Amino acid sequence: MTLCSECRGESMFELKGKTAVITGASRGIGKAIALKFAELGANIAVIHFMDGENAEAAVKELEAKGVQVRAYECNVADFAASEQVTEEILKDFGEVHILVNNAGIVRDGLILSMKEADFDAVISVNLKGAFNMTKHLYQHFMRKRRGRIINISSIVGLNGNAGQANYASAKAGMIGLTKSVAKELGSRNVTANAIAPGFIKTDMTDGMPEKAREAALAAIPMKRAGQVEDIANVAAFLASDAAAYVTGEVIRVDGGMAI
Ligand code: NAI
């Protein structure tokens, strides 16, 4: 009798020998993606910004999975700094197979009171940061004729949200970026996809006012907040061979919140 790979205890989503660059992997969704990828055998470059203590703890947890791990502090919104960090990562790991643009911030407020600086900061980190990292690894992926780009957008980028014009614009922009990259690099065997999480329990959502949290939960058909692992599982699929022919797609992982 031949056992299927799952029955043999192997995962369908093998990432052995691959290297993943994950921005914002010091905590929350990014860290969960890093842990999942490491469990599947991938080496991990953790990018964070001003989150050294969490990054150090994440590196220890990741190393315990038996893979190569290194943390890099870099503001992804900074074009030159993100170029330098990708060069460093390529020197350290030799090759990059997967890029996850996950770093993100919020500066919520109605447009009436939103400061110009709050709009610019969110666009710079969430959207331009993803562009910067993609741009700096673009030629590498092209030359290797393979690569996976996974952008962590949001359902707010699909539907908009009062009080989040900056964030929704950035997240919608990420979807445009994803589809454009998918068209530009498809012939080079590079896929680009986006995940649109709904309401996921992390430091970011723990920081929301109680009323807003309750309203968000009430709007979820599945009646629970998502777990970071819910996003990590879909990211693992997109990074794996199982998703080889999936590109330019946006996958909602939201318990039905944006149906
Ligand atoms: P978090 O606040 O827990 O973690 C953010 C991560 O981004 C940290 O590792 C931080 O170091 C990094 N970061 C922040 N600014 C950076 C910069 N300038 N350069 C490099 N790294 C930077 O956030 P969370 O909740 O884990 O969110 C991760 C991503 O998922 C974000 O893009 C967020 O917009 C998105 N998302 C989250 C949802 C949620 O419900 N938590 C829902 C939809 C999308």
Side-chain angles (χ1 to χ4, degrees):
M1 189 178 71
T2 323
L3 286 176
C4 70
S5 58
E6 296 283 300
C7 317
R8 287 194 304 266
E10 294 164 12
S11 170
M12 215 184 135
F13 306 152
E14 185 74 72
L15 296 178
K16 227 169 245 150
K18 304 267 166 71
T19 294
V21 176
I22 306 173
T23 68
S26 55
R27 60 175 195 259
I29 292 172
K31 180 179 169 184
I33 294 172
L35 284 167
K36 185 75 196 174
F37 283 14
E39 265 162 32
L40 298 175
N43 299 318
I44 312 286
V46 169
I47 295 184
H48 71 96
F49 187 52
M50 300 204 296
D51 201 20
E53 226 171 274
N54 282 329
E56 222 173 275
V59 167
K60 282 206 183 107
E61 273 183 67
L62 289 163
E63 277 173 346
K65 310 270 180 205
V67 296
Q68 193 189 334
V69 185
R70 226 174 137 175
Y72 304 82
E73 177 158 25
C74 170
N75 177 4
V76 293
D78 182 329
F79 188 83
S82 53
E83 182 170 31
Q84 204 181 321
V85 88
T86 47
E87 278 168 11
E88 227 178 291
I89 290 168
L90 285 170
K91 221 181 280 156
D92 293 343
F93 289 87
E95 187 173 347
V96 171
H97 306 81
I98 306 157
L99 166 65
V100 182
N101 287 309
N102 163 81
I105 58 167
V106 283
R107 296 274 190 282
D108 294 352
L110 295 173
I111 293 173
L112 191 67
S113 56
M114 186 176 285
K115 296 196 174 68
E116 184 188 4
D118 293 333
F119 189 86
D120 290 348
V122 170
I123 298 290
S124 295
V125 175
N126 299 15
L127 179 56
K128 193 179 164 220
F131 166 77
N132 287 344
M133 293 301 299
T134 303
K135 163 121 181 124
H136 300 317
L137 283 167
Y138 192 99
Q139 273 190 315
H140 178 73
F141 286 150
M142 253 175 80
R143 257 188 259 118
K144 295 285 178 186
R145 292 190 167 267
R146 67 174 181 198
R148 294 291 165 90
I149 300 170
I150 301 167
N151 291 326
I152 308 301
S153 175
S154 166
I155 56 164
V156 161
L158 295 168
N159 290 356
N161 199 21
Q164 289 198 305
N166 49 2
Y167 185 79
S169 302
K171 293 301 187 181
M174 276 183 108
I175 292 172
L177 175 69
T178 304
K179 293 183 179 181
S180 304
V181 175
K183 287 187 174 181
E184 286 189 21
L185 287 179
S187 65
R188 304 299 175 118
N189 193 31
V190 178
T191 68
N193 292 287
I195 296 176
F199 185 75
I200 312 297
K201 195 185 162 3
T202 65
D203 288 352
M204 189 180 266
T205 47
D206 286 347
M208 281 166 67
E210 189 56 36
K211 271 217 169 121
R213 270 224 307 271
E214 277 169 17
L217 280 172
I220 303 171
M222 293 190 77
K223 294 298 165 212
R224 68 165 177 92
Q227 303 295 317
V228 288
E229 292 78 14
D230 292 322
I231 309 302
N233 287 332
V234 176
F237 162 66
L238 288 173
S240 75
D241 290 345
Y245 201 53
V246 180
T247 196
E249 188 54 273
V250 184
I251 304 181
R252 280 191 299 106
V253 185
D254 65 348
M257 194 177 187
I259 292 171

mmCIF file of all heavy atoms in Angstrom, residues 124-141:
data_model
loop_
_atom_site.group_PDB
_atom_site.id
_atom_site.type_symbol
_atom_site.label_atom_id
_atom_site.label_comp_id
_atom_site.label_asym_id
_atom_site.label_seq_id
_atom_site.Cartn_x
_atom_site.Cartn_y
_atom_site.Cartn_z
ATOM 1 N N SER A 124 3.694 55.371 2.350
ATOM 2 C CA SER A 124 5.132 55.099 2.214
ATOM 3 C C SER A 124 5.499 53.712 2.714
ATOM 4 O O SER A 124 6.260 52.998 2.067
ATOM 5 C CB SER A 124 5.958 56.116 3.006
ATOM 6 O OG SER A 124 5.772 57.379 2.453
ATOM 7 N N VAL A 125 4.993 53.337 3.881
ATOM 8 C CA VAL A 125 5.366 52.028 4.437
ATOM 9 C C VAL A 125 4.606 50.915 3.717
ATOM 10 O O VAL A 125 5.191 49.957 3.213
ATOM 11 C CB VAL A 125 5.087 51.963 5.961
ATOM 12 C CG1 VAL A 125 5.366 50.558 6.492
ATOM 13 C CG2 VAL A 125 5.925 53.002 6.708
ATOM 14 N N ASN A 126 3.277 51.046 3.657
ATOM 15 C CA ASN A 126 2.449 49.923 3.199
ATOM 16 C C ASN A 126 2.519 49.710 1.689
ATOM 17 O O ASN A 126 2.532 48.568 1.236
ATOM 18 C CB ASN A 126 0.988 50.139 3.605
ATOM 19 C CG ASN A 126 0.799 50.235 5.113
ATOM 20 O OD1 ASN A 126 1.758 50.412 5.862
ATOM 21 N ND2 ASN A 126 -0.423 50.134 5.571
ATOM 22 N N LEU A 127 2.557 50.773 0.929
ATOM 23 C CA LEU A 127 2.545 50.620 -0.537
ATOM 24 C C LEU A 127 3.936 50.776 -1.146
ATOM 25 O O LEU A 127 4.431 49.892 -1.841
ATOM 26 C CB LEU A 127 1.568 51.616 -1.168
ATOM 27 C CG LEU A 127 1.471 51.588 -2.698
ATOM 28 C CD1 LEU A 127 1.114 50.201 -3.220
ATOM 29 C CD2 LEU A 127 0.470 52.622 -3.193
ATOM 30 N N LYS A 128 4.587 51.900 -0.816
ATOM 31 C CA LYS A 128 5.907 52.112 -1.425
ATOM 32 C C LYS A 128 6.905 51.081 -0.900
ATOM 33 O O LYS A 128 7.794 50.633 -1.621
ATOM 34 C CB LYS A 128 6.401 53.539 -1.150
ATOM 35 C CG LYS A 128 7.581 53.887 -2.019
ATOM 36 C CD LYS A 128 8.087 55.283 -1.796
ATOM 37 C CE LYS A 128 9.467 55.402 -2.383
ATOM 38 N NZ LYS A 128 10.364 56.190 -1.546
ATOM 39 N N GLY A 129 6.725 50.673 0.353
ATOM 40 C CA GLY A 129 7.598 49.635 0.920
ATOM 41 C C GLY A 129 7.524 48.358 0.097
ATOM 42 O O GLY A 129 8.543 47.720 -0.181
ATOM 43 N N ALA A 130 6.307 47.981 -0.291
ATOM 44 C CA ALA A 130 6.132 46.768 -1.103
ATOM 45 C C ALA A 130 6.749 46.962 -2.491
ATOM 46 O O ALA A 130 7.382 46.057 -3.040
ATOM 47 C CB ALA A 130 4.652 46.430 -1.219
ATOM 48 N N PHE A 131 6.586 48.170 -3.047
ATOM 49 C CA PHE A 131 7.210 48.472 -4.350
ATOM 50 C C PHE A 131 8.733 48.378 -4.235
ATOM 51 O O PHE A 131 9.403 47.757 -5.065
ATOM 52 C CB PHE A 131 6.813 49.877 -4.826
ATOM 53 C CG PHE A 131 7.670 50.378 -5.951
ATOM 54 C CD1 PHE A 131 7.479 49.915 -7.249
ATOM 55 C CD2 PHE A 131 8.705 51.283 -5.712
ATOM 56 C CE1 PHE A 131 8.297 50.357 -8.297
ATOM 57 C CE2 PHE A 131 9.529 51.718 -6.748
ATOM 58 C CZ PHE A 131 9.321 51.254 -8.041
ATOM 59 N N ASN A 132 9.282 49.007 -3.185
ATOM 60 C CA ASN A 132 10.745 49.025 -3.013
ATOM 61 C C ASN A 132 11.316 47.608 -2.966
ATOM 62 O O ASN A 132 12.268 47.285 -3.677
ATOM 63 C CB ASN A 132 11.122 49.741 -1.708
ATOM 64 C CG ASN A 132 10.933 51.245 -1.803
ATOM 65 O OD1 ASN A 132 10.807 51.794 -2.903
ATOM 66 N ND2 ASN A 132 10.919 51.922 -0.662
ATOM 67 N N MET A 133 10.714 46.766 -2.126
ATOM 68 C CA MET A 133 11.245 45.403 -1.969
ATOM 69 C C MET A 133 11.109 44.605 -3.275
ATOM 70 O O MET A 133 12.008 43.865 -3.650
ATOM 71 C CB MET A 133 10.515 44.683 -0.828
ATOM 72 C CG MET A 133 10.778 45.257 0.550
ATOM 73 S SD MET A 133 12.530 45.258 1.023
ATOM 74 C CE MET A 133 12.907 43.507 0.989
ATOM 75 N N THR A 134 9.980 44.797 -3.948
ATOM 76 C CA THR A 134 9.754 44.104 -5.229
ATOM 77 C C THR A 134 10.787 44.566 -6.254
ATOM 78 O O THR A 134 11.401 43.774 -6.960
ATOM 79 C CB THR A 134 8.326 44.395 -5.747
ATOM 80 O OG1 THR A 134 7.398 43.991 -4.737
ATOM 81 C CG2 THR A 134 8.039 43.666 -7.044
ATOM 82 N N LYS A 135 10.982 45.874 -6.318
ATOM 83 C CA LYS A 135 11.931 46.456 -7.286
ATOM 84 C C LYS A 135 13.348 45.904 -7.048
ATOM 85 O O LYS A 135 14.036 45.543 -7.998
ATOM 86 C CB LYS A 135 11.908 47.980 -7.146
ATOM 87 C CG LYS A 135 13.081 48.684 -7.749
ATOM 88 C CD LYS A 135 12.673 49.660 -8.809
ATOM 89 C CE LYS A 135 13.874 50.331 -9.419
ATOM 90 N NZ LYS A 135 13.941 50.174 -10.842
ATOM 91 N N HIS A 136 13.746 45.829 -5.778
ATOM 92 C CA HIS A 136 15.127 45.415 -5.491
ATOM 93 C C HIS A 136 15.354 43.914 -5.708
ATOM 94 O O HIS A 136 16.491 43.483 -5.841
ATOM 95 C CB HIS A 136 15.524 45.826 -4.075
ATOM 96 C CG HIS A 136 15.440 47.312 -3.863
ATOM 97 N ND1 HIS A 136 15.885 48.224 -4.797
ATOM 98 C CD2 HIS A 136 14.945 48.046 -2.838
ATOM 99 C CE1 HIS A 136 15.665 49.445 -4.358
ATOM 100 N NE2 HIS A 136 15.093 49.365 -3.162
ATOM 101 N N LEU A 137 14.282 43.116 -5.722
ATOM 102 C CA LEU A 137 14.461 41.674 -5.974
ATOM 103 C C LEU A 137 14.021 41.281 -7.390
ATOM 104 O O LEU A 137 14.145 40.123 -7.791
ATOM 105 C CB LEU A 137 13.683 40.856 -4.932
ATOM 106 C CG LEU A 137 14.377 40.786 -3.562
ATOM 107 C CD1 LEU A 137 13.443 40.242 -2.496
ATOM 108 C CD2 LEU A 137 15.650 39.924 -3.626
ATOM 109 N N TYR A 138 13.520 42.253 -8.141
ATOM 110 C CA TYR A 138 12.937 42.031 -9.472
ATOM 111 C C TYR A 138 13.931 41.335 -10.418
ATOM 112 O O TYR A 138 13.631 40.290 -10.996
ATOM 113 C CB TYR A 138 12.520 43.392 -10.009
ATOM 114 C CG TYR A 138 11.648 43.418 -11.238
ATOM 115 C CD1 TYR A 138 10.272 43.598 -11.119
ATOM 116 C CD2 TYR A 138 12.186 43.345 -12.520
ATOM 117 C CE1 TYR A 138 9.455 43.680 -12.249
ATOM 118 C CE2 TYR A 138 11.385 43.424 -13.644
ATOM 119 C CZ TYR A 138 10.023 43.594 -13.510
ATOM 120 O OH TYR A 138 9.226 43.681 -14.623
ATOM 121 N N GLN A 139 15.134 41.923 -10.518
ATOM 122 C CA GLN A 139 16.112 41.375 -11.454
ATOM 123 C C GLN A 139 16.598 40.001 -11.028
ATOM 124 O O GLN A 139 16.855 39.139 -11.862
ATOM 125 C CB GLN A 139 17.287 42.332 -11.596
ATOM 126 C CG GLN A 139 17.028 43.375 -12.661
ATOM 127 C CD GLN A 139 18.266 44.165 -12.974
ATOM 128 O OE1 GLN A 139 18.975 44.585 -12.059
ATOM 129 N NE2 GLN A 139 18.530 44.383 -14.239
ATOM 130 N N HIS A 140 16.716 39.848 -9.699
ATOM 131 C CA HIS A 140 17.141 38.554 -9.163
ATOM 132 C C HIS A 140 16.145 37.467 -9.576
ATOM 133 O O HIS A 140 16.525 36.423 -10.100
ATOM 134 C CB HIS A 140 17.244 38.646 -7.630
ATOM 135 C CG HIS A 140 17.624 37.361 -6.975
ATOM 136 N ND1 HIS A 140 18.890 36.829 -7.035
ATOM 137 C CD2 HIS A 140 16.888 36.479 -6.257
ATOM 138 C CE1 HIS A 140 18.918 35.677 -6.382
ATOM 139 N NE2 HIS A 140 17.713 35.439 -5.893
ATOM 140 N N PHE A 141 14.864 37.729 -9.358
ATOM 141 C CA PHE A 141 13.824 36.766 -9.741
ATOM 142 C C PHE A 141 13.833 36.529 -11.253
ATOM 143 O O PHE A 141 13.679 35.407 -11.722
ATOM 144 C CB PHE A 141 12.433 37.272 -9.322
ATOM 145 C CG PHE A 141 12.154 37.191 -7.839
ATOM 146 C CD1 PHE A 141 11.298 38.099 -7.221
ATOM 147 C CD2 PHE A 141 12.709 36.201 -7.051
ATOM 148 C CE1 PHE A 141 11.012 38.027 -5.864
ATOM 149 C CE2 PHE A 141 12.426 36.109 -5.680
ATOM 150 C CZ PHE A 141 11.576 37.024 -5.090
#
